[in-house]
């Protein structure tokens, strides 16, 4: 039986969580949230994106965030990139962990990145070389690994083919993303169990559009994933994927997996942090754990008493 407490959380609030909101948060606010999450024991964070600010305004100031974090903090932080040039520019600013993202489906890759999937795969060796040159880590992140908003279901063999491609072989991790939240647990478990990871870490990025976020994350762990993505309050979604709603809530993932760092006090701090953030960006929480923590079941230690 899988010990789910050994499954790590990467909180993606500051990138995938914020990118659909209509408000650009001050850099200082985002840095404070990053430090709150790190202090709570969240192992890894996604803190921003090299996407053009005119296309994804909430990602403006990502490199300013990088500039305020210490090298020790940056060791636990990831930045989204889509081209070798992104890697070079981010590395010059101090980034050491790069999430190189492309979509399995051509239609979404063209909408999201402006090129065919093959073009992104072909450019990855250069991106890997740029990351390794400064001693950094780089992930192969495959969006639309299950379904595409334009083309529908994605052939698992296409996913496996990109993961096995020699041009992606030197990536440190493989991230499989259920971009639309349409996958189901058996499907997720089977895909993770079937990809050839080559001893690379497997990561699941799930969305909770159809209510399967936590179940799919646990299924991914059953299939070999050791890290799962979530965002406070279930905030977020892809601006270039119609029908993609919020991420799986970090609060829900932590409550389900119960890592050693999680205590009722830590959970309460994260629930409050999520509430403050959601109020700032005028969004409603989708986290069932956050809702439960505010219930009147006061005999339950995980309920916030104030």
């Amino acid at each position: 039986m899988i010990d789910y407490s050994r499954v790590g959380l990467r909180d993606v609030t500051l990138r995938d969580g914020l990118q659909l909101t209509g408000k650009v948060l001050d850099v200082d606010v985002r840095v404070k949230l990053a430090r709150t999450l790190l202090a709570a024991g969240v192992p890894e964070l996604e803190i921003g994106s090299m996407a053009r600010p005119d296309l994804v305004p909430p990602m403006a100031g990502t490199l300013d965030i990088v500039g305020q974090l210490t090298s020790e903090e940056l060791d636990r932080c990831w930045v989204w990139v889509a081209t070798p040039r992104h890697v070079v520019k981010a590395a010059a600013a101090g980034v050491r962990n790069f999430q190189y993202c492309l979509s399995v489906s051509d239609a979404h890759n063209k909408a999201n990145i402006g090129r065919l999937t093959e073009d992104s795969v072909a450019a990855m060796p250069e991106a890997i070389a740029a990351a390794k040159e400064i001693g950094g880590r780089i992930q192969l992140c495959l969006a639309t690994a299950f379904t595409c908003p334009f083309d529908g279901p994605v052939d698992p063999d296409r996913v496996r083919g990109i993961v096995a491609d020699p041009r992606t072989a030197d990536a440190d991790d493989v991230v499989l993303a259920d971009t639309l939240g349409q996958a189901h647990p058996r499907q997720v478990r089977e895909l993770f169990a079937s990809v050839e990871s080559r001893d690379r870490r497997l990561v699941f990025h799930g969305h909770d559009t159809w209510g399967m976020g936590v179940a799919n994350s646990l299924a991914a762990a059953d299939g070999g994933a050791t890290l799962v993505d979530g965002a406070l309050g279930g905030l977020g979604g892809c601006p270039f994927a119609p029908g993609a709603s919020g991420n799986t809530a970090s609060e829900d993932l932590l409550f389900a997996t119960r890592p050693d760092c999680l205590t009722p006090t830590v959970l309460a701090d994260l629930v409050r942090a999520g509430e403050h953030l959601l109020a700032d960006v005028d969004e409603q929480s989708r986290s069932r754990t956050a809702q439960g923590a505010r219930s009147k079941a006061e005999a339950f230690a995980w309920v916030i008493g104030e």
Side-chain angles (χ1 to χ4, degrees), residues 50 81 83-92 98 100 127-128 130-131 138:
M50 297 302 294
V81 298
T83 67
R85 184 179 179 184
H86 282 171
V87 176
V88 172
K89 184 176 180 180
F98 310 90
Y100 184 90
I128 292 172
I138 187 167

